[in-house]
Structures are given as structure tokens and as C-alpha cells.
């Protein structure tokens, strides 16, 4: 979805030095290159070892197995599996749930497309819940409103690193016998209450894509505490071949979504840096919170009391009745000062993308949408007040563990300047 493009020029905006100001804008570290990634000697050494071993498949090598073991240990999860992407992780989770064609999976329309299309590939119907306009996260209330006889699972996305309020969501899911899949692609080491995300629901899905907290370029991780679901997860990413079991057979429809040892080596080294990455992102965000406190028309990130937000991105909400032009105008004013932001994030809810609005799926069949209850595929904007308001107000700032004090105060000054200019009717 558009989110991939929004960040392609993060930290290297083309107009950066074009204003001829005396003030030279620092170039912000970017997660798209070495300036904002923690890739270094540890990754190179591990990669060299993997290559020297001559074994690059995880079915025979040791790096992916160690990555899985250490990730499970770090999260306190019984099982963890590495796979080829966050999308593959979500696909494996849906396949583990094993919905009947036309069964419903409740999800959010403010997410990455890779969290949605796997539902359709497994023959299930994505049913979009509305979100809280403040956090852009689904809630127990918005999920409850979409539950039907056919609901098999819910995917909760901890958007931007800010955890969903999991207590009431798990209560609802337990009461209705619904499997909970946590999409933690943006939320490594975030906590809902005392619990790490990815260990609260039945299955946790993570991405190791270039722009996430830690990366192998492309890659994914899955966590699970349930033995039966775990077996199906592991099978699904291995063509349903149960490695290590007696009398194995290809038991069900599945794919090869394995991670290679090359990625496993890099991932293992990256995992050693994850705690520090998360800690620094939180500390930097607290600094920006302090610097931006009290600006009229701007709302700072709101975290549920007792939770930990690990700031994949730093989001502001812009009140356009106070700041003329709202998030779009503020984003444009920041771009002039060398800061690439994403006003309105993905700009439109996922259900307005053609894959859903035109049901472009398998040939001309519309399958599986032709099996859906009409309420399940009702995308009327009136049903999504939180989604539209939240997307209209949000301004997403790139965020990074490599930001220094100077970078953070540069961002704060730029935001203050931009708001001052906009609220003075455009006068500089
Ligand atoms: C990045 C992301 C994904 C998809 O991960 P890929 O590794 O890009 O396939 C899924 N969900 C969310 C919330 C993401 O941010």
C-alpha cells in the first residue's frame, strides 16, 4: 500500500536545502539506508560465517533455528518461526486458523496490504472494524460491532508501535471462541499492560522488512503458545512437510515461505540490538513529547496508561479548526524545512483500494467475496467514522533510534515554526 512509498525519501527530502536559509538543516538518519539502520560488523561477521558454512537453507543450517529460539526466549513465547516476510507471517497465521471459504476474519482498514491479502488467499472474508480516531487502533467495541456467526479470528494491529488495549479484546475473544492474531510488525517490544505484544493473543506476527525496528531486508517472525496452531504454522511455511516427525507427508495446501540462512544470520545479529533500538526510540519520543507539549491544535501520541509504545513512527494529530489546512498543510510546511512526513498515513482506508472495492481476486470469479454476507463487505463510509477522522488528522513523522538530541530539537523547532506560520495565515 502507499505506506511503502511514503518513506522512500525519508531523511533525504529533495527540497532540503532549497530555501536558501542561513540555517542548515541536518539530514535526518533514514531507515532506508545505513544512516538509520543498526546494520554493522556483527551482521557482516554472522553473514560471513553463514556463507562459509556453505549451507544456506534453514532446513539444514543453524542461523534461522537460533534466530527462532532466541526470539521465542526474548518474547517469552513457547514457539517462534522465521519466514520470508511479514505478509508470509500473516498468511501462515490465517492458514493455521484454517477458515472455511467465506468465513470471516475481522481486521483493520488502517494497515499494510500485506496484512490483508493473505486473508483472501485463504478464502476468508476480511471484515473491517472501525478504529479509535485517536490511536487508529481497533478496540473491543469496534471488533464486537463486526462479530457474526462466521467470525473465526481477529487480527489486531498495534499501529505505529502503540499497543491496542488487549485486556478487553482478549475477554471478548475468549467469550466468543475467536482466535486472536496480533500484527506486531510495527510494535516490537511494545507492551499492553505488563505483557509483550505477540504473546497476548494466540499468534503474533512480525516483519523484518527494511523499515521496521530490526531488519533482514525482507523477512518475518511468528510467535505462538498453542501447540496445535504452532504445528500448522511451521508446516505452512514448509510446504506442509513436518520436518522431524515420523511418517511425514505433505498434509495440506501450503507454500514455501522459508527464510534463508543469509537472512537468519543478519536477523540473529539484529535481534541482539533490538532492546537498545526500542529503548532509544522511546527515549527520543519522550524528548519530542516534552518539546512539543502545549502547542495549540496539535495532539501528541496517546498511550493507554501502563502500556509501552515503541514508536515505529511518531504521530501527531492536527486539528484543522486550529491549524488551517490541517495535517496536509503541516506536512507541506515541514517538507520545506527538510522533514519528510506522511500526512494522512495511507490516505484512504484499505477497503477503498481496488483489490477490495472491485474484488479483483481469482480470474473473474470474485471468489471468495461471492460467498460473503452482504454486511461483511459493506464498505459504507458512515460505518467508519473513526477511520476517516483518524486518517484525516494524523501526521506521521519518521522515527529512528539514530536520532540525536539535535535531530529531535530540529524536528521540534520545525514543527513549532510550521504551526506558527500556518496559524498566522501563512505569513512567515
Ligand atoms: C510491514 C507490515 C506488514 C507486512 O510486512 P512485510 O514484511 O512488508 O510483508 C504487515 N503489517 C503491518 C502492520 C506492517 O507494518
Amino acid at each position: 500500500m502507499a505506506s511503502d512509498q511514503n518513506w522512500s525519501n525519508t531523511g533525504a527530502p529533495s527540497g532540503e536545502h532549497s530555501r536558501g536559509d542561513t540555517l542548515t538543516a541536518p539530514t535526518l538518519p533514514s531507515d532506508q539506508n545505513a544512516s538509520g539502520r543498526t546494520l554493522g560488523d556483527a551482521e557482516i561477521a554472522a553473514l560471513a560465517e553463514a556463507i562459509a558454512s556453505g549451507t544456506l537453507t534453514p532446513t539444514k543450517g543453524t542461523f534461522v533455528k537460533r534466530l527462532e529460539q532466541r526470539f521465542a526466549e526474548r518474547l517469552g513465547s513457547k514457539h517462534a518461526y522465521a519466514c520470508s516476510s511479514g505478509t508470509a507471517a500473516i498468511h501462515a497465521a490465517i492458514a493455521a486458523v484454517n477458515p472455511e471459504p467465506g468465513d470471516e476474519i475481522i481486521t483493520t482498514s488502517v494497515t499494510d496490504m500485506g496484512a490483508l491479502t493473505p486473508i483472501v488467499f485463504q478464502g476468508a472474508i476480511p471484515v473491517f472494524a472501525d478504529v479509535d480516531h485517536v490511536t487508529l487502533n481497533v478496540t473491543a467495541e469496534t471488533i464486537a460491532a463486526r462479530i457474526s456467526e462466521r467470525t473465526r479470528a481477529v487480527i489486531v494491529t498495534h499501529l505505529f508501535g502503540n499497543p491496542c488495549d488487549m485486556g478487553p479484546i482478549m475477554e471478548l475473544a475468549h467469550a466468543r471462541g475467536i482466535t486472536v492474531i496480533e500484527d506486531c510488525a510495527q510494535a516490537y517490544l511494545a507492551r499492553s499492560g505488563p505483557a509483550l505484544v505477540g504473546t497476548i493473543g494466540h499468534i503474533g506476527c512480525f516483519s523484518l522488512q527494511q523499515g521496521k525496528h530490526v531488519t533482514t531486508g525482507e523477512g518475518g517472525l511468528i510467535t505462538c503458545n498453542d501447540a496445535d496452531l504452532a504445528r500448522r504454522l511451521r508446516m505452512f511455511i514448509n510446504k506442509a512437510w513436518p520436518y522431524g516427525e515420523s511418517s511425514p507427508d505433505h498434509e495440506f495446501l501450503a507454500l514455501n515461505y522459508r527464510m534463508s540462512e543469509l537472512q537468519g544470520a543478519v536477523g540473529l545479529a539484529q535481534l541482539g540490538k533490538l532492546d537498545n533500538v526500542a529503548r532509544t526510540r522511546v527515549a527520543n519520543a519522550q524528548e519530542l513529547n516534552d518539546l512539543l507539549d502545549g502547542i495549540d491544535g496539535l495532539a501528541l501520541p496517546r498511550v493507554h496508561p501502563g502500556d509501552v509504545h515503541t514508536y515505529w513512527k511518531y504521530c501527531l494529530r492536527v486539528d484543522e479548526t486550529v491549524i488551517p489546512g490541517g495535517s496536509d498543510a503541516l506536512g507541506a510546511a515541514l517538507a520545506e524545512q527538510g522533514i519528510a512526513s506522511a500526512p494522512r498515513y495511507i490516505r484512504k482506508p484499505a477497503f477503498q483500494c481496488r483489490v477490495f472495492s472491485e474484488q479483483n481476486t481469482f480470474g473473474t470469479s470474485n471468489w471468495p467475496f461471492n460467498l460473503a454476507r452482504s454486511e461483511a463487505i459493506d464498505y459504507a463510509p458512515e460505518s467508519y467514522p473513526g477511520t476517516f477522522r483518524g486518517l484525516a488528522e494524523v501526521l506521521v513523522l519518521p522515527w529512528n533510534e539514530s536520532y540525536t538530541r539535535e535531530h529531535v530539537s530540529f524536528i521540534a523547532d520545525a514543527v513549532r515554526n510550521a504551526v506558527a506560520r500556518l496559524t498566522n495565515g501563512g505569513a512567515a
Side-chain angles (χ1 to χ4, degrees), residues 83 90 103 108 143 146 166 198 261 277 299 325 339 361 368 390 409:
C83 58
I90 297 280
D103 277 354
T108 171
I143 293 166
R146 305 310 308 269
M166 291 303 290
E261 287 287 282
V277 165
I339 296 172
T361 53
S409 57

Side-chain angles (χ1 to χ4, degrees), residues 62-400:
T62 65
F63 282 97
V64 169
K65 288 189 185 78
R66 280 185 281 164
L67 171 62
E68 292 174 339
Q69 197 178 342
R70 294 232 187 119
F71 194 64
E73 280 166 15
R74 177 61 191 91
L75 261 71
S77 166
K78 277 199 195 122
H79 310 273
Y81 303 109
C83 58
S84 55
S85 68
T87 304
I90 297 280
H91 196 169
I94 305 294
V97 170
N98 201 19
E100 297 298 325
D103 277 354
E104 298 171 8
I105 312 280
I106 296 176
T107 183
T108 171
S109 59
V110 187
T111 186
D112 185 278
M113 190 54 74
L116 299 172
T117 47
I119 300 170
V120 183
F121 270 101
Q122 287 309 110
I125 310 297
V127 177
F128 296 102
D130 197 16
V131 297
D132 173 5
H133 79 274
V134 173
T135 59
L136 288 165
N137 279 336
V138 295
T139 67
E141 291 73 35
T142 65
I143 293 166
R146 305 310 308 269
I147 290 180
S148 82
E149 301 275 274
R150 304 205 66 178
T151 305
R152 291 293 308 279
V154 54
I155 305 177
V156 299
T157 303
H158 306 296
L159 204 70
F160 304 121
N162 195 9
C164 297
D165 188 10
M166 291 303 290
I169 291 174
M170 292 311 297
E171 238 171 77
L172 174 70
H174 285 314
R176 304 296 294 259
I178 295 168
T179 303
V180 176
I181 299 163
E182 291 180 82
D183 185 343
C184 311
Q186 306 182 356
Y188 282 92
L189 302 187
R191 288 177 186 269
S192 176
L196 285 168
V197 302
T199 68
I200 306 165
H202 301 82
I203 301 173
C205 298
F206 297 76
S207 167
L208 289 163
Q209 199 269 336
Q210 176 75 39
K212 304 296 161 72
H213 287 73
V214 283
T215 185
T216 57
E218 304 289 346
L221 289 161
I222 316 168
T223 50
C224 183
N225 284 323
D226 177 280
D228 295 334
L229 286 173
R231 182 171 183 273
R232 282 190 65 89
L233 290 167
R234 179 169 56 94
M235 300 268 287
F236 188 73
I237 60 183
N238 281 294
K239 309 174 204 170
W241 186 259
Y243 285 92
E245 293 182 15
S246 56
S247 45
D249 189 10
H250 294 283
E251 288 179 26
F252 56 84
L253 186 64
L255 296 160
N256 176 358
Y257 275 156
R258 289 194 281 261
M259 170 181 276
S260 88
E261 287 287 282
L262 301 174
Q263 294 160 301
V266 174
L268 190 60
Q270 283 278 282
L271 186 55
K273 299 173 178 177
L274 176 59
D275 276 84
N276 199 39
V277 165
R279 203 178 306 119
T280 315
R281 282 174 178 253
V282 173
N284 285 346
Q286 272 156 5
E287 217 169 291
L288 188 60
N289 283 340
D290 292 342
L291 293 170
L292 291 182
D293 197 27
I295 299 179
D296 227 18
L298 276 193
L300 305 184
R302 189 188 296 169
V303 185
H304 193 263
D307 288 3
V308 177
H309 179 338
T310 56
Y311 294 93
W312 179 58
K313 304 292 178 193
Y314 183 103
C315 293
L316 293 166
R317 281 182 303 122
V318 188
D319 181 349
E320 69 177 342
T321 66
V322 178
I323 300 172
S327 54
D328 280 324
L330 186 56
L334 287 176
E336 284 178 33
Q337 300 180 75
I339 296 172
S341 63
R344 299 170 184 260
Y345 187 39
I346 54 173
R347 304 201 74 85
K348 63 180 182 188
F351 53 73
Q352 291 187 341
C353 292
R354 288 175 55 199
V355 54
F356 299 119
S357 63
E358 297 176 6
Q359 302 181 342
N360 292 326
T361 53
F362 298 92
T364 55
S365 68
N366 304 120
W367 192 89
F369 294 107
N370 57 340
L371 308 175
R373 292 180 308 126
S374 58
E375 302 93 314
I377 49 172
D378 175 12
Y379 304 146
E382 312 82 87
S383 305
Y384 298 93
T387 300
F388 284 94
R389 180 170 172 196
L391 284 176
E393 290 180 346
V394 74
L395 179 77
V396 186
L397 292 168
W399 206 240
N400 203 277

